[in-house]
Amino acid sequence: MHEDLEKVLFTHDQIHRRIDELADEISRDYQGRELVLVTVLKGAVFFMTHLAESLRIPVRLDFLGIASFSPGRALPGVVRISKDLDQDIQGMDVMVIEDIVDTGLTLRYLLNVLSGRQPNSLVVCTFLDKSTRRLVEIPVRYRGFEIPDRFVVGFGLDYDQRYRTLPCVGILKSQVYQGR
Ligand code: IMP
C-alpha cells in the first residue's frame, strides 16, 4: 500500500472485476447500437479505457475538459468547458463517463450542456459514487462502487494532480492535505 493512503478501498483486481461486470451489463443494454463514450478529463480516463476494452458493442470515444472558475474548488459546481467534444452528438446514444460523482453539481452542468445538443439518449456511468454528499439529483444509470464520504485517490483520481496512477483506490491520509 502507498504510504500516503490510510486504507485501500478497492484493489486492482476488485476494480477490474467490477468494470467487467459493468461492461457486460452495458453491452446487453446497448446490443445492436453504437455508443459515444464522452469521458470527462482527466480522472475518468483510466476507468473509460478498461471499460471500453471490455465492451462488446461498437463505441466512439470523445473527451470533455472542464475547468473550475474558482481555484481550490471554493465554489463547487461553477465550472466551464475547457475542451469541447470533437464530434456532433445529435441523434447519438451518449454515455458520460465520470470518475466520481460527489455533490453532482459538475455533472448537472455537463448534462444540461450535452442534452441541449439533442442526443438520442444521454446517460451517466460513474466509476465511484459518493451519493451521501449529493446536493442535486443526478440520474446515475451505471456505477462501479458506492463509497463513503472520504477523500479518495487512485485509478485516475487525484489530489493536486498526484496519485492518479495508483492501481488501487484508497482513502488519502488527512495529513497529506492538512500539512499544506
Ligand atoms: P461534484 O461536482 O461535487 O460532483 O464533483 C465532482 C468532481 O470533484 C470529480 O470529478 C472530482 O474531480 C472531484 N472529487 C470529488 N470527490 C473526490 C475525491 O474523493 N477524490 C478525488 N476527487 C474528488
Side-chain angles (χ1 to χ4, degrees):
M1 181 169 90
H2 191 285
E3 59 183 8
D4 289 350
L5 293 183
E6 175 187 314
K7 182 184 174 187
V8 171
L9 288 183
F10 309 110
T11 64
H12 174 268
D13 285 358
Q14 287 170 326
I15 292 169
H16 280 251
R17 270 200 301 275
R18 180 68 189 120
I19 295 178
D20 286 345
E21 287 173 5
L22 276 179
D24 280 348
E25 195 183 340
I26 294 168
S27 300
R28 276 196 305 274
D29 293 352
Y30 285 85
Q31 203 178 7
R33 291 151 77 188
E34 185 184 52
L35 194 52
V36 182
L37 300 182
V38 169
T39 303
V40 183
L41 295 170
K42 306 171 189 159
V45 169
F46 285 66
F47 174 50
M48 179 279 289
T49 307
H50 294 276
L51 183 72
E53 70 185 9
S54 304
L55 287 173
R56 299 183 308 276
I57 50 166
V59 292
R60 296 185 193 203
L61 306 182
D62 214 330
F63 298 89
L64 261 183
I66 55 166
S68 175
F69 273 119
S70 57
R73 300 192 177 114
L75 287 171
V78 184
V79 293
R80 65 182 169 85
I81 291 181
S82 57
K83 186 238 167 275
D84 206 340
L85 300 179
D86 296 326
Q87 305 163 47
D88 182 6
I89 56 167
Q90 186 174 8
M92 310 291 289
D93 291 312
V94 176
M95 180 176 287
V96 178
I97 308 289
E98 256 290 21
D99 53 356
I100 186 166
V101 187
D102 185 18
T103 63
L105 291 168
T106 307
L107 258 182
R108 182 176 65 174
Y109 169 77
L110 287 183
L111 291 175
N112 277 341
V113 170
L114 295 178
S115 61
R117 299 179 186 181
Q118 298 164 332
N120 181 51
S121 64
L122 179 62
V123 299
V124 172
C125 175
T126 185
F127 175 46
L128 302 177
D129 193 352
K130 257 190 219 179
S131 62
T132 55
R133 294 246 315 156
R134 204 75 94 246
L135 293 179
V136 291
E137 203 180 316
I138 294 291
V140 174
R141 177 69 185 81
Y142 303 96
R143 69 168 58 70
F145 300 99
E146 179 71 45
I147 63 161
D149 180 11
R150 300 294 307 276
F151 195 85
V152 298
V153 292
F155 206 75
L157 289 116
D158 74 307
Y159 169 67
D160 205 12
Q161 299 302 327
R162 293 162 62 209
Y163 310 108
R164 287 194 201 277
T165 54
L166 292 183
C168 63
V169 169
I171 297 174
L172 190 62
K173 283 181 181 167
S174 52
Q175 300 93 289
V176 175
Y177 42 89
Q178 280 165 2
R180 286 168 53 96

